Amino acid sequence: MNQRNKLTVLFCLAAVCLAAVGGFYIGRNAGGIPEEKEPAVTEPTELQLLNREAVSHMSDEGKTIYVIGHKSPDSDTVCSAIAYARLLNLLGYTAEPRITMPVNNETKYILEQAGAEIPEILYSAAGETIFLVDHSEYVQAAEDMVDAHIVGIMDHHGVGAVNTGHQIVYEARPIGATATIVWLDYLNYGFEIDKQTAHLLLGAVLSDTSNLTGSTTTEADKKAVSALAEIAGVSDVDGFYRALHEQALSYEGMSDMEIMFSDYKEYEAGNVKYGIGLVSSVKEETSRELAERMKNIAEEAMASRDVDYMFASVGIREGDIKVDYIIPMSEASKELMEQVFPNYDEYDGTSFIFRNGGLGRKTKFVPGLNDFFAAHPHE
Ligand code: MN
Ligand code: MN
């Protein structure tokens, strides 16, 4: 009998004992003795015990199971790995979460809020015992996944190329987040979710469903968010989402030049060449800060590209709100702005600010400049 079969027997024995004790208390209460305090842990139902039993035969060969998500890890991939590794621990397995590469700013924020540590990086999966979350494609997986011993997959995407001949735990649901499947498993196995795990899962569901507005959002995701928020003690869910969304756009750890050229495009109009780099922001305060940083590297940025004019466009796109801070990267670029787009709302010494509707690169900025160059050909 392996460890988990023993566990199952123990669970059943415990259930029988508690039923007997419960009966004793009912008897005592009937006799007028004050009611005893309820046991802290809710007893698993027969169905929950069966669900546990059904995953108690994974072929881990007694080794540590590494629970790991995809490359370029997002919050769903990281938080689901942590929460599911904990669930496997509760089921009697030795399991630890791993990541494929460093986490992004949003995930870092969620981990910090929850008080959880960043999982270690798994550099090679060769020869390791692996449970995949949030993906099932080798190209998205950690290095050498082809040579890993995969014991389970939990996902909410299409079926990928990962393949194995032996029996595995395979759970996929067409819903908003892998984290919601993890939450459902805690319910199905009858385990309480601790506060930190709830916080992590909450952040993951909010991130993957864009605060329950994404097209893949289901009733299960909504229920997960309300239940997890209560356990995590997060009363302002929208506020938590806004904060983590802002982190996603914070560009922390990137150099100013990397930010400037992370979404940069060049255009040619007649014999004029110009470039516009888009930078994303969530509020005006952040926009001003980013605009200042772009202005500081103006000379270096101009020198690094063969263009006549260059602009950074720091934009806010939140629901109906569209605001753009256009930073000219040279004196000639500034003069051009004043000539072509005199209808800006404010010039603060760094940026030309366009509020109502902004100055979208594709919709207004580029067409406006091209029209101007067509009407005023350079000598
Ligand atoms: Mn993902
Ligand atoms: Mn996901």
Side-chain angles (χ1 to χ4, degrees):
M1 193 186 281
N2 70 26
Q3 196 199 347
R4 277 172 311 280
N5 287 344
K6 274 184 219 156
L7 257 166
T8 309
V9 171
L10 272 174
F11 282 132
C12 294
L13 278 174
V16 170
C17 287
L18 269 143
V21 170
F24 173 60
Y25 279 134
I26 289 162
R28 289 206 320 172
N29 289 340
I33 293 159
E35 211 172 307
E36 293 288 324
K37 227 180 144 190
E38 266 191 47
V41 179
T42 332
E43 272 316 298
T45 64
E46 199 180 329
L47 180 57
Q48 287 167 336
L49 287 172
L50 265 174
N51 281 328
R52 292 184 194 184
E53 218 281 325
V55 290
S56 65
H57 308 282
M58 260 195 284
S59 56
D60 65 344
E61 293 157 349
K63 290 168 80 180
T64 299
I65 300 171
Y66 292 122
V67 184
I68 189 164
H70 54 78
K71 279 182 189 160
S72 298
D74 54 27
S75 298
D76 189 34
T77 250
V78 178
C79 296
S80 294
I82 298 172
Y84 194 70
R86 287 177 182 173
L87 183 55
L88 289 179
N89 294 155
L90 292 169
L91 286 163
Y93 289 101
T94 306
E96 290 177 24
R98 285 291 184 273
I99 50 176
T100 49
M101 44 180 83
V103 299
N104 64 35
N105 289 340
E106 179 199 271
T107 307
K108 207 182 289 171
Y109 175 79
I110 295 171
L111 294 176
E112 274 169 17
Q113 291 295 304
E117 303 220 336
I118 299 173
E120 284 175 38
I121 293 176
L122 184 75
Y123 291 99
S124 169
E128 304 291 359
T129 304
I130 301 283
F131 195 112
L132 298 175
V133 292
D134 205 31
H135 71 303
S136 65
E137 285 281 12
Y138 284 122
V139 285
Q140 297 174 12
E143 294 308 311
D144 311 319
M145 195 56 78
V146 211
D147 300 318
H149 177 64
I150 294 166
V151 295
I153 298 170
M154 174 181 291
D155 197 12
H156 66 134
H157 300 95
V159 181
V162 169
N163 153 321
T164 172
H166 58 260
Q167 287 185 300
I168 62 162
V169 170
Y170 196 6
E171 291 190 76
R173 299 283 184 277
I175 61 179
T178 298
T180 303
I181 311 176
V182 179
W183 171 72
L184 283 168
D185 272 2
Y186 272 87
L187 299 184
N188 287 332
Y189 301 151
F191 289 117
E192 278 186 33
I193 304 177
D194 63 90
K195 196 176 176 191
Q196 186 184 77
T197 304
H199 213 141
L200 295 173
L201 289 173
L202 174 66
V205 178
L206 292 176
S207 165
D208 249 34
T209 63
S210 302
N211 197 14
L212 303 175
T213 64
S215 59
T216 60
T217 307
T218 65
E219 207 51 47
D221 301 299
K222 293 176 190 169
K223 269 269 169 2
V225 163
S226 58
L228 292 165
E230 194 174 331
I231 302 166
V234 175
S235 52
D236 182 8
V237 172
D238 290 338
F240 179 45
Y241 173 71
R242 272 197 305 276
L244 66 88
H245 183 52
E246 195 175 319
Q247 284 299 317
L249 304 176
S250 73
Y251 297 112
E252 213 182 289
M254 286 172 76
S255 75
D256 294 345
M257 285 290 279
E258 284 168 343
I259 295 170
M260 172 67 201
F261 293 104
S262 61
D263 184 2
Y264 170 85
K265 282 181 181 168
E266 288 184 357
Y267 305 86
E268 257 186 296
N271 51 355
V272 177
K273 272 176 84 181
Y274 63 95
I276 303 171
L278 293 191
V279 180
S280 299
S281 168
V282 279
K283 55 181 183 186
E284 301 239 0
E285 194 191 324
T286 319
S287 299
R288 283 184 204 278
E289 273 168 39
L290 284 164
E292 205 55 49
R293 289 169 64 179
M294 293 307 101
K295 193 191 181 183
N296 290 341
I297 53 144
E299 222 170 293
E300 192 186 345
M302 280 298 295
S304 74
R305 298 290 193 283
D306 177 29
V307 291
D308 303 297
Y309 308 96
M310 188 188 282
F311 308 91
S313 175
V314 179
I316 301 169
R317 293 289 181 278
E318 294 290 308
D320 295 338
I321 304 164
K322 284 182 186 168
V323 180
D324 287 310
Y325 282 58
I326 310 296
I327 305 97
M329 306 298 269
S330 66
E331 196 50 41
S333 306
K334 180 175 178 259
E335 283 162 19
L336 182 68
M337 270 310 290
E338 281 167 330
Q339 240 181 312
V340 185
F341 303 103
N343 297 325
Y344 53 85
D345 293 293
E346 184 192 336
Y347 177 68
D348 65 3
T350 300
S351 322
F352 292 92
I353 305 168
F354 294 81
R355 295 188 202 284
N356 315 304
L359 188 73
R361 180 168 66 179
K362 189 166 52 187
T363 55
K364 296 175 186 169
F365 205 171
V366 170
L369 287 176
N370 286 353
D371 285 351
F372 179 83
F373 290 131
H376 305 81
H378 265 225
E379 286 83 65

